[in-house]
Amino acid sequence: MVDPNYVSGGVWFVCGLVICYLGYLIGIRGRADLHTDYDEESGVDPAYVSRWAGGTALAMGLLVVGYGIREAIYGFQPYALGALLVALLVLSYVTRLFARGYGYRE
């Protein structure tokens, strides 16, 4: 029988890799249009959105990958999951701000 922590950790790991891939597309490949809150008519430079929103998405993906590895090794701990969810909510808000042009100067 497979330990449930390995299964759960593997799912978190795969989800983190998917988030990292989307962050790669947005941040490194310059596909700012993939972000749902980016509007081309807003006048925000797509390179700015790609750099900051993509970098934040990469950080989110790395956090999820790290959590998946941690859960597979040490098992489930509710405080670690809570910390991950709070960090993802905060970073999601930050990436939404960047996609809308927060901090952008012409």
Side-chain angles (χ1 to χ4, degrees):
M1 190 75 147
V2 176
D3 186 18
N5 292 323
Y6 291 145
V7 175
S8 178
V11 169
W12 282 106
F13 184 81
V14 170
C15 290
L17 290 179
V18 170
I19 295 170
C20 282
Y21 180 68
L22 290 173
Y24 164 78
L25 285 177
I26 294 171
I28 297 174
R29 299 293 301 258
R31 296 286 311 270
D33 57 323
L34 292 176
H35 199 288
T36 58
D37 289 317
Y38 175 67
D39 185 19
E40 292 177 356
E41 286 85 28
S42 66
V44 180
D45 185 22
Y48 174 82
V49 173
S50 294
R51 182 173 49 249
W52 289 101
T56 308
L58 280 171
M60 292 169 67
L62 290 175
L63 273 175
V64 175
V65 166
Y67 177 79
I69 293 170
R70 193 216 60 78
E71 185 166 330
I73 293 172
Y74 299 112
F76 174 75
Q77 294 176 343
Y79 291 117
L81 178 61
L84 173 71
L85 293 178
V86 168
L88 289 177
L89 285 172
V90 169
L91 288 173
S92 173
Y93 180 72
V94 169
T95 190
R96 187 174 299 127
L97 288 177
F98 287 138
R100 292 179 182 165
Y102 180 78
Y104 174 68
R105 295 186 188 109
E106 292 185 14

